[in-house]
Amino acid sequence: MNIFADAMGFGFDAAETVAGETICYTYAEESEEFEDVVAGETESRETGVGGNTVVASRSCDFLIRREAWEEKFGDKFPTRNNVITRTNGKAYKVFSGAQGHIWRYSGPQNTYLRVHTIEVKKKD
């Protein structure tokens, strides 16, 4: 491994330690809990009538360790409309990212699955 890959690995480990959280991943009718998942959120904003700026959508990428994924789901991969629920109750539906990918490998030696999602709006 080169120095850059080593540094990336340390960065991912630190992120898990500091910002890792527990999520519930629902794949079809099967649900599994994952620990130390790192989430990165992005808000898309729009300007509405009268110049008010509102949040149009919230997307979130979740980094799940590949070995943990394979231990729980084997050779299945994330699919559109699977649901990730955070401990705060917010739910996210697996959805294509900006480049059209539902998920991709991330990190040194493809250590993580980076799963693209969009927040599910709660019905009032």
Side-chain angles (χ1 to χ4, degrees):
M1 213 185 298
N2 64 37
I3 294 173
F4 179 73
D6 287 344
M8 279 185 59
F10 292 132
F12 279 112
D13 290 344
E16 283 181 344
T17 302
V18 174
E21 63 182 274
T22 300
I23 62 154
C24 179
Y25 191 104
T26 303
Y27 191 110
E29 298 299 315
E30 184 179 355
S31 293
E32 292 286 352
E33 202 170 85
F34 290 91
E35 296 178 348
D36 299 325
V37 173
V38 178
E41 292 188 45
T42 303
E43 288 186 350
S44 299
R45 297 177 181 267
E46 292 180 354
T47 303
V49 178
N52 296 331
T53 303
V54 296
V55 175
S57 66
R58 285 187 178 88
S59 62
C60 190
D61 285 359
F62 292 90
L63 291 175
I64 302 171
R65 277 206 178 261
R66 181 180 182 175
E67 78 179 23
W69 177 272
E70 290 173 349
E71 179 182 305
K72 295 179 183 202
F73 288 119
D75 60 356
K76 296 187 234 175
F77 291 105
T79 60
R80 186 181 290 269
N81 297 324
N82 290 164
V83 176
I84 294 176
T85 307
R86 297 172 96 167
T87 54
N88 65 8
K90 288 186 179 179
Y92 297 81
K93 194 174 279 195
V94 176
F95 191 76
S96 301
Q99 295 154 345
H101 303 289
I102 293 170
W103 70 275
R104 62 182 171 163
Y105 288 117
S106 205
Q109 285 82 41
N110 298 328
T111 310
Y112 296 88
L113 275 75
R114 181 179 181 167
V115 183
H116 307 291
T117 66
I118 190 161
E119 187 176 357
V120 177
K121 305 255 188 219
K122 292 181 182 176
K123 296 183 173 144
D124 297 327

